[in-house]
Amino acid sequence: MAKEMKITSLDDFKTPVRKGINEVYVKSILNKHKKRDSWFLLDYSINPYLGCSFNCLYCYIRGSHYGGDTTHKLQVKANAAEILKKQLKRRAKNGEYGLIGIASATEPYPEIEKELKLTRELLQIIARFKFPVSILTRSTLVLRDMDILKKINENAILPPDLKFKLRGGAIISFSFSTPDEKLAKIFEPNAPKPKERLETMKKFKDHGFRTGVCFMPVLPFLSDSEKQIEKMIVLAKNYGSDSILTAGLTLFGDKPTDCKTVYYKTLEKHFPELLEKTKKLFGQNFYPNPKYQRKLTERANAICKKYEIKNRIV
Ligand code: SF4
């Protein structure tokens, strides 16, 4: 994950122009990665929003930094479009083309995007400067922007080493922690249903996009069995995913609003029998023990091989 840019001082916060919307003004919106990341192939990332309305209970953006309910802390980078124009103009002039991840740290399509259309505006700018993009979302709203994404897919200039590996300039990926609707309702209360995400992905596939499933975070003892992973991989394949990336859960912090605390409370309420063994799996760490992680990767890789679906984007 790319680091979220810093709001440089309290002066960068201005009075919200629209009631109920927290607007922040930023000095930079395009994060250049030091090195292209090997999972998502990103050279740049953009996060139009801070916080998220989907309120997934395992989400690391809740907690010490953001507060307990991610919905209430949602902030909009109000001058993002103006800044992006300047930054992309300069990068394009220097021929510094690379895949831009939207969004690497939060959701690019929170509920407010329906009204604000900020992500859409940023995509229009990206299309104008012919940069390629990789969208990662849990939302079906991405469908609204298919017109712009088609332009990007057809016209974007890819970096030379990716030119022959990627078919087009737009990759559309969807995140899942489980394909199970009931489980998703508990852990991702405000996000569109897994089935809706799969159907949206299929539409992009049918329009010639490279698509992907990010099965992350896999929930320990809830969505990590061979049967559950197989179900996710088979669904991904059936709904036209070109690849599936799998990763375990990370849990941070021990304050009341931190995601580790919130996750454990959720287990206590819905799956009390899993609480102690989950705590043991994490110990004092923010990730499950290495043996578990290795097994999870091996299991997912073996199932991907069985169903002939790539476990990396290219
Ligand atoms: S959709 Fe992503 S950013 Fe939003 S709450 Fe869920 S995990 Fe966090």
Side-chain angles (χ1 to χ4, degrees), residues 51-62 70 105-108 110 136-139 175 187-188 191 216-217:
C52 178
S53 59
F54 289 164
N55 218 16
C56 305
L57 300 184
Y58 47 72
C59 182
Y60 68 89
I61 69 167
R62 66 172 56 252
T70 52
T106 59
E107 170 60 50
L136 179 58
T137 183
R138 276 174 175 72
S139 177
S175 307
F187 286 96
E188 306 164 348
M216 41 179 95

Side-chain angles (χ1 to χ4, degrees), residues 4-28:
E4 178 56 44
M5 93 191 69
K6 284 204 171 62
I7 305 296
T8 48
S9 82
L10 282 179
D11 293 339
D12 291 331
F13 289 81
K14 294 188 180 172
T15 313
V17 174
R18 279 157 288 203
K19 201 171 170 241
I21 298 174
N22 292 315
E23 297 186 337
V24 294
Y25 286 74
V26 293
K27 292 187 174 168
S28 169

Side-chain angles (χ1 to χ4, degrees), residues 35-210:
K35 198 171 150 234
R36 178 183 299 154
D37 81 89
S38 55
W39 275 53
F40 294 98
L41 311 175
L42 304 180
D43 290 305
Y44 301 95
S45 56
I46 290 175
N47 291 289
Y49 297 95
L50 293 164
C52 178
S53 59
F54 289 164
N55 218 16
C56 305
L57 300 184
Y58 47 72
C59 182
Y60 68 89
I61 69 167
R62 66 172 56 252
S64 310
H65 184 50
Y66 291 93
D69 184 343
T70 52
T71 313
H72 297 143
K73 294 285 176 183
L74 187 75
Q75 293 173 336
V76 180
K77 293 176 183 171
N79 60 338
E82 182 195 324
I83 301 287
L84 184 64
K85 256 182 238 164
K86 285 184 197 156
Q87 292 188 303
L88 278 189
K89 191 175 177 185
R90 203 180 64 239
R91 296 280 177 185
K93 199 174 158 198
N94 296 333
E96 294 167 352
Y97 290 95
L99 214 55
I100 302 175
I102 311 176
S104 59
T106 59
E107 170 60 50
Y109 290 96
E111 278 307 294
I112 194 75
E113 169 63 17
K114 276 185 196 158
E115 180 194 334
L116 293 187
K117 301 191 177 86
L118 176 59
T119 296
R120 184 172 173 84
E121 195 179 354
L122 300 185
L123 285 174
Q124 274 160 338
I125 295 165
I126 290 168
R128 180 171 143 203
F129 288 104
K130 295 190 164 42
F131 273 73
V133 290
S134 174
I135 303 260
L136 179 58
T137 183
R138 276 174 175 72
S139 177
T140 53
L141 185 58
V142 59
L143 213 47
R144 180 201 64 189
D145 295 340
M146 195 191 267
D147 55 340
I148 308 168
L149 289 165
K150 268 187 183 171
K151 284 184 194 155
I152 295 175
N153 203 32
E154 285 159 19
N155 304 326
I157 299 169
L158 287 159
D161 59 326
L162 290 181
K163 222 175 224 169
F164 300 104
K165 291 184 181 163
L166 297 175
R167 285 192 301 267
I171 304 171
I172 316 296
S173 305
F174 293 82
S175 307
F176 299 82
S177 63
T178 171
D180 183 293
E181 303 287 340
K182 279 192 197 149
L183 209 51
K185 188 72 197 152
I186 294 172
F187 286 96
E188 306 164 348
N190 301 341
K193 292 176 183 171
K195 181 92 189 297
E196 293 170 338
R197 291 175 229 167
L198 288 165
E199 284 165 352
T200 308
M201 181 173 72
K202 180 77 171 58
K203 287 180 185 154
F204 276 97
K205 180 67 184 170
D206 291 345
H207 281 85
F209 287 87
R210 180 180 287 270

